[in-house]
Amino acid sequence: MLLAPLAFWLTRAGRFADYRTLAGDSCELLLPDGSHVDLSAGSALSVDYGETARRLTLHQGEAFFQVTGDSARPFVVKAGPADFTALGTAFNIRLAGDRVRLTVTEHSVLARSSAVEAVVEQGQQFALGDGATAGPRAVDSEAETAWRHGVLVFRATPLGEVIDVLARNAGWNVMLSDTAKRIPVTAMFSLSRLDEAPETIA
């Protein structure tokens, strides 16, 4: 009984990540090669730069990457079931449970998993998880990355993913049934007024 809480703490995603943010917090990172990362609330990121590749792991949460070009060392981000290789670019990755969502805001990104491989272009989004693949498809990339400016925008997003994002930002613990997780939600929330979100969703 005494060991159970310790085991839970040690096995949480990103427990030993290089960078972590708390609920309601975010940070800007300058990586050794000059690349920039905006790390959203409740997120965890590890960085492993080597001589032949720049490898990062998004353990949980969301991050926006602005990559400095280096043809000799590919910039690869692992998030959930997929790897994303920058092709000279800026992009956003959201990891909610087993579902990962890539939005490209500049140039393109190679998305690769055990089941699929696709080049995602500027203004497109690619999603993977829950046994399904979506995209690449055209999206409003400014809306998808509005969290960087204090706003959360969802368009026909599964409620499970919406709650994951809200919980990371507000510090909530929420339980949903499997049926509820699949309900599509279209809404916009201000990060400064998340206390209104539950009533809005209801």
Side-chain angles (χ1 to χ4, degrees):
M1 291 178 61
L2 293 174
L3 291 176
L6 177 61
F8 173 77
W9 183 84
L10 289 173
T11 56
R12 289 188 64 187
R15 173 56 60 191
F16 298 107
D18 296 319
Y19 303 99
R20 293 183 59 86
T21 52
L22 302 176
D25 190 19
S26 62
C27 70
E28 297 181 11
L29 307 174
L30 177 61
L31 302 182
D33 64 335
S35 297
H36 288 80
V37 180
D38 291 344
L39 195 61
S40 181
S43 301
L45 179 74
S46 292
V47 179
D48 181 15
Y49 275 23
E51 294 183 359
T52 60
R54 297 168 289 173
R55 299 189 180 278
L56 300 88
T57 301
L58 182 64
H59 301 281
Q60 64 183 40
E62 189 164 9
F64 181 82
F65 302 87
Q66 293 175 292
V67 181
T68 298
D70 184 347
S71 58
R73 293 193 303 164
F75 189 98
V76 184
V77 181
K78 178 175 178 54
D83 291 334
F84 303 98
T85 303
L87 303 177
T89 192
F91 58 96
N92 191 85
I93 296 177
R94 175 191 295 166
L95 180 61
D98 294 329
R99 184 175 179 83
V100 60
R101 188 185 298 267
L102 164 75
T103 303
V104 180
T105 63
E106 183 180 319
H107 297 149
S108 57
V109 173
L110 174 63
R112 182 187 291 121
S113 73
S114 59
V116 66
E117 181 174 311
V119 174
V120 187
E121 304 289 348
Q122 179 175 326
Q124 291 185 329
Q125 187 175 85
F126 174 86
L128 183 67
D130 297 330
T133 301
R137 62 185 181 90
V139 294
D140 183 345
S141 56
E142 290 189 7
E144 294 293 328
T145 58
W147 65 267
R148 300 172 62 212
H149 308 292
V151 179
L152 298 174
V153 179
F154 303 100
R155 293 180 176 174
T157 305
L159 179 58
E161 182 175 339
V162 173
I163 292 299
D164 180 90
V165 175
L166 294 175
R168 285 194 292 101
N169 282 276
W172 301 335
N173 289 309
V174 181
M175 296 181 65
L176 294 173
S177 68
D178 289 339
T179 300
K181 288 179 180 179
R182 294 190 291 269
I183 298 173
V185 173
T186 296
M188 180 171 65
F189 304 105
S190 169
L191 286 173
S192 64
R193 300 170 61 182
L194 287 184
D195 57 313
E196 300 174 2
E199 183 176 354
T200 300
I201 292 174

